[in-house]
Amino acid sequence: MSSSKLNLLDFSNKSVATLHLTWFAFFMTFVMWFSLPPLKPLIMQSIQMTPQQWAALLTLNVALTIPARIVVGSLVDKFGPRNIYSGLLILSAVVLIAFAFSTTFEQLALFRFLLGFVGAGFVIGIRLVSEWFPARQVGLAEGIYGGWGNFGAAAAGFTLPFLAIHVFGGVDGWRYAMTAAAVLAAFYGVVFYIFARNTPKGSTYFKPKKSGGLEVSNKKDFWFYVALNVPMYLILAVLAWKMSPANLKLLSATTTNILYVVLVALFIFQFTQIYRVNKDMLKNGVPEHDKYEFKQVAILSWAYLASFGSELAVVSVLPAFFMDTFKGLSISQAAMLGGSFAFMNLVARPGGGWVSDRLGRRFSMSIIFGGIAIGYVLLSQINGNWPLPLAFAAVFICSLFVQAGCGSVFAVVPLIKRRMTGQISGMAGAYGNVGGLAFLTINTFVTIHTFFYVLAGAAALAFFFIQFLKEPKGHTVEVNEDGSLQKIEVA
């Protein structure tokens, strides 16, 4: 692949074929993960749920995704994306079918919580795509993978209600629609295992020296890494609080306190794993060729929080914002306007990766995240006096930068340390979910205009941090099984 151009129709090119195989796997995980919201009226009618119970299901749908992205990232680096993606698709399909045929709210809650694991599928493909594309193309390839795969959420909204109402029909139509999606995902899991390969023929799949946590290069980075895990546990504690007697009243005070204790115990366990992985480094250091700067991971994690995290939150609040601001809009019109924010993933996320490949990683991210900050400030100014087309244009422009920001982050992630790409993707990906939950929580305490200012502030902070991002240059080094060193181009 000597050319920097990427012909997506050249299926004889195994790299291109692998890219298509992989983005569709991600697409199917998002169809399953986002199968819940579009079927809301049918499920609530069938199970006789309260609005509070529905809110709890939506919360449970994302709760497990945060730790799952960390866990799956580690599994991918150790066992390879081919095995993990196939297994995730098949196991998640089983859980979705179990959800579809649940008859009580307690059963729905359990299986929806477990299905949050499917949201970790994203990090698997990041590692796989990075194995098949050189540095000069990896941003565009990762952008296509992320952007086209993300469209699975929209596809679920378009197809599942139609299947439930017009194809299957009846009070149980939603169950069969979900089951159809699950069967397709399981079938594709088998297809993926048959046709996908972890690396091009003759290439080495580098694995971490130890599993259970990221390897870091010095004591300062060790404590930085530990600290970076804290917000993930804090946001899970916020989720427990949201379902406690103080909020949705779906958990007892005793159960809530038990969850708090479990989170503390999990953090202590993770600390022991991080220490175990880095114990030799803390005593003896690491060879010069094996060093990398952990601040790179932290900067990219915050950038993904400010881009994908804000996208998750905005997609949730935009329909209501449009309905409240522009009187006379129907629910479907407001939903379409709100959904347009995520629709830009198809082109803007690959565009962010492509720009990073062409113009440099740090420069591109600086421009894009500056644009995100300005875009959210622009959204904060929208009021009922604006012409609706102008408001839509503001949303379009802001969305363009936000999705491009997601693409630019994962144009850098695969270039930091090849053998730990899954884990680094897991950390950044988890921070995207942390951001979404944090921003939605903040939204319950402030006005919508202040909410947009908060998002702008997060993007502005990302812009500041990006100035300290190290532009990938030259090569990184990995160690072959025979002890020889192999250079991997990252420029």
Side-chain angles (χ1 to χ4, degrees), residues 146-441:
W148 293 11
N150 256 304
F151 198 66
F158 295 150
T159 59
L160 295 185
F162 177 82
L163 289 174
I165 297 169
H166 300 292
V167 176
F168 298 113
V171 70
D172 290 328
W174 67 273
R175 301 182 189 275
Y176 303 124
M178 280 189 171
T179 300
V183 170
L184 178 60
F187 172 75
Y188 192 74
V190 176
V191 171
F192 188 86
Y193 186 82
I194 293 172
F195 291 102
R197 294 294 179 269
N198 290 332
T199 63
K201 189 175 182 180
S203 296
T204 301
Y205 188 81
F206 294 103
K207 300 179 180 181
K209 298 171 185 175
K210 296 179 180 179
S211 59
L214 277 170
E215 304 162 27
V216 294
S217 302
N218 54 58
K219 291 180 181 179
K220 182 185 72 175
D221 283 354
F222 173 83
W223 291 111
F224 194 3
Y225 175 30
V226 171
L228 200 65
N229 280 276
V230 172
M232 290 186 282
Y233 290 92
L234 289 177
I235 201 65
L236 290 172
V238 170
L239 285 176
W241 168 79
K242 287 181 72 173
M243 290 187 288
S244 73
N247 202 295
L248 292 175
K249 299 180 176 62
L250 290 166
L251 295 177
S252 68
T254 301
T255 303
T256 305
N257 290 330
I258 290 173
L259 288 175
Y260 292 150
V261 172
V262 168
L263 288 173
V264 172
L266 286 174
F267 176 74
I268 293 171
F269 174 75
Q270 188 181 18
F271 175 81
T272 62
Q273 294 300 298
I274 293 171
Y275 176 77
R276 181 183 59 80
V277 168
N278 289 285
K279 183 168 60 175
D280 291 340
M281 178 279 297
L282 291 170
K283 292 180 179 178
N284 307 313
V286 296
E288 192 64 32
H289 66 76
D290 218 13
K291 291 182 178 179
Y292 74 100
E293 296 184 42
F294 184 75
K295 73 176 184 182
Q296 307 283 85
V297 180
I299 292 168
L300 293 170
S301 296
W302 183 269
Y304 205 57
L305 176 148
S307 51
F308 183 69
S310 68
E311 177 193 343
L312 284 177
V314 169
V315 168
S316 299
V317 304
L318 265 188
F321 171 63
F322 273 114
M323 286 193 70
D324 293 340
T325 305
F326 299 97
K327 305 303 180 184
L329 278 183
S330 68
I331 294 176
S332 59
Q333 287 173 324
M336 288 179 65
L337 287 169
S340 66
F341 197 90
F343 189 81
M344 287 302 298
N345 263 306
L346 284 172
V347 292
R349 191 159 182 157
W354 179 80
V355 169
S356 294
D357 289 341
R358 298 295 295 270
L359 302 181
R361 316 296 176 183
R362 188 172 64 191
F363 175 76
S364 299
M365 288 185 72
S366 297
I367 298 299
I368 291 169
F369 278 84
I372 294 173
I374 294 170
Y376 281 132
V377 170
L378 187 62
L379 293 194
S380 73
Q381 305 304 306
I382 295 175
N383 57 56
N385 295 322
W386 281 43
L388 186 58
L390 185 61
F392 176 74
V395 169
F396 177 85
I397 293 169
C398 183
S399 173
L400 193 68
F401 280 102
V402 170
Q403 319 304 343
C406 296
S408 69
V409 168
F410 281 93
V412 183
V413 164
L415 305 178
I416 296 176
K417 201 66 178 168
R418 175 61 63 86
R419 70 174 181 268
M420 296 186 294
T421 297
Q423 294 177 80
I424 296 170
S425 300
M427 177 68 77
Y431 257 78
N433 285 77
V434 168
L437 291 169
F439 292 139
L440 284 172
T441 302

Side-chain angles (χ1 to χ4, degrees), residues 15-271:
S15 296
V16 172
T18 298
L19 176 59
H20 286 297
L21 266 176
T22 309
W23 77 252
F24 194 75
F26 179 34
F27 177 95
M28 287 309 305
T29 66
F30 259 47
V31 169
M32 287 192 285
W33 194 22
F34 288 92
S35 60
L36 183 66
L39 295 172
K40 174 183 178 179
L42 303 176
I43 296 173
M44 290 191 72
Q45 181 183 0
S46 175
I47 306 295
Q48 298 295 304
M49 292 167 54
T50 67
Q52 289 80 9
Q53 288 175 323
W54 179 259
L57 277 189
L58 292 178
T59 300
L60 289 168
N61 197 38
V62 297
L64 195 59
T65 307
I66 294 171
R69 287 189 166 187
I70 302 296
V71 172
V72 167
S74 182
L75 292 174
V76 169
D77 287 339
K78 185 174 182 179
F79 297 107
R82 178 193 181 207
N83 292 330
I84 302 302
Y85 232 150
S86 297
L88 183 74
L89 285 166
I90 294 168
L91 289 175
S92 298
V94 173
V95 176
L96 182 57
I97 292 172
F99 176 88
F101 288 95
S102 297
T103 56
T104 67
F105 171 73
E106 289 73 19
Q107 291 171 350
L108 289 173
L110 171 64
F111 291 120
R112 207 67 215 180
F113 173 73
L114 294 176
L115 197 63
F117 214 86
V118 77
F122 170 67
V123 306
I124 305 173
I126 294 295
R127 174 75 197 252
L128 182 57
V129 171
S130 72
E131 295 286 345
W132 282 86
F133 289 88
R136 64 182 175 274
Q137 292 180 323
V138 76
L140 175 58
E142 297 285 15
I144 291 168
Y145 164 71
W148 293 11
N150 256 304
F151 198 66
F158 295 150
T159 59
L160 295 185
F162 177 82
L163 289 174
I165 297 169
H166 300 292
V167 176
F168 298 113
V171 70
D172 290 328
W174 67 273
R175 301 182 189 275
Y176 303 124
M178 280 189 171
T179 300
V183 170
L184 178 60
F187 172 75
Y188 192 74
V190 176
V191 171
F192 188 86
Y193 186 82
I194 293 172
F195 291 102
R197 294 294 179 269
N198 290 332
T199 63
K201 189 175 182 180
S203 296
T204 301
Y205 188 81
F206 294 103
K207 300 179 180 181
K209 298 171 185 175
K210 296 179 180 179
S211 59
L214 277 170
E215 304 162 27
V216 294
S217 302
N218 54 58
K219 291 180 181 179
K220 182 185 72 175
D221 283 354
F222 173 83
W223 291 111
F224 194 3
Y225 175 30
V226 171
L228 200 65
N229 280 276
V230 172
M232 290 186 282
Y233 290 92
L234 289 177
I235 201 65
L236 290 172
V238 170
L239 285 176
W241 168 79
K242 287 181 72 173
M243 290 187 288
S244 73
N247 202 295
L248 292 175
K249 299 180 176 62
L250 290 166
L251 295 177
S252 68
T254 301
T255 303
T256 305
N257 290 330
I258 290 173
L259 288 175
Y260 292 150
V261 172
V262 168
L263 288 173
V264 172
L266 286 174
F267 176 74
I268 293 171
F269 174 75
Q270 188 181 18
F271 175 81

